[in-house]
Structure formats: structure tokens, C-alpha cells
Amino acid sequence: LDVRRQGLHLEFELPDEPVLVQAEPRRLRQVLLNLLSNAIKYNIPEGRILLAVERHGDQVHLLVEDSGLGIDETLQARMFEPFQRLGREISRILGAGIGLSLCLEYARLMGGDIGVWSEPDVGSRFWVSLPVISAD
């Protein structure tokens, strides 16, 4: 992931204290790398990427937000289907269209879920919600 080469600005909003979540480390890393890779591929020159962690009761949301192309609301329901490129099959952006379907599968296997908010020409916000492990 070469953020600098693309001229993108990477920002972090992380909690002061560590947060333990129920997750398989390798799969969680794959999910975050896929979401960050998409944020780079579908961004605009000099765009912004945010990686954040937010606590919501007994869940933690790991957020990846970009200022990129965005996805029309009518296409969002299909974006987690395997091999779905949402009309970008003929673009110069490489990909097979399986990344988000794998992210959804991995999130659910770890007891969580994945969601999206997106608006064309504004950007996208993806989040992975995972159960918090109590420190008791």
C-alpha cells in the first residue's frame, strides 16, 4: 500500500487505551488491508484516508474512510457479492471483485459484521464491527 506515491493523506483516530476484540489476527489484518487497499485504489489525487477505532457498547468499529469516488446507493447492496466490480470492470483500477465479499465472510466468522456508507464524488466509509473482549 503506497499512500505517498498516490499523494494521499493518511490520518489516524485511535483510542488512548488498547481495546481487545474477538478476532483472528491474520484474518483481521486481511480485512483491514483490503479496505485500505480499496481506499487507495478508489481515491482521488491528494485525497484523504482515515483509519479510526470507535467503541459502541460491546462492539468496536474499525473504520476506513476515504475521500474517493464513492458508490451510488443503488449499487451498494451488491458490493459485498463475489466478483462484483459495480461497473468498474472496464476501468484502469485492477481487482477481481472478491475482496469485499471475503471481508464480510471473515467479519461474520469472527462474530462481527461489516457496513458501508458511501456517496458518489464524496467518498466511502467502511466499518468492521467486532465484539469487545472484557478485560476482567
Side-chain angles (χ1 to χ4, degrees), residues 31-63:
V31 169
L32 289 175
L33 284 174
N34 184 274
L35 294 177
L36 287 166
S37 175
N38 284 351
I40 292 169
K41 287 194 295 189
Y42 295 104
N43 218 316
I44 59 173
E46 300 298 315
R48 176 183 150 277
I49 298 172
L50 171 68
L51 178 60
V53 177
E54 295 178 351
R55 179 103 185 234
H56 296 272
D58 63 348
Q59 297 280 309
V60 166
H61 288 192
L62 306 171
L63 304 171

Side-chain angles (χ1 to χ4, degrees), residues 61-77:
H61 288 192
L62 306 171
L63 304 171
V64 176
E65 183 176 295
D66 66 63
S67 60
L69 303 175
I71 303 145
D72 189 88
E73 188 174 2
T74 60
L75 300 175
Q76 290 177 24

Side-chain angles (χ1 to χ4, degrees), residues 87-109:
R88 295 203 170 106
E89 297 85 351
I90 56 172
S91 74
R92 300 174 82 185
I93 300 170
L94 298 177
I98 60 171
L100 288 177
S101 65
L102 282 175
C103 288
L104 175 62
E105 182 71 20
Y106 290 159
R108 289 185 174 164
L109 287 171

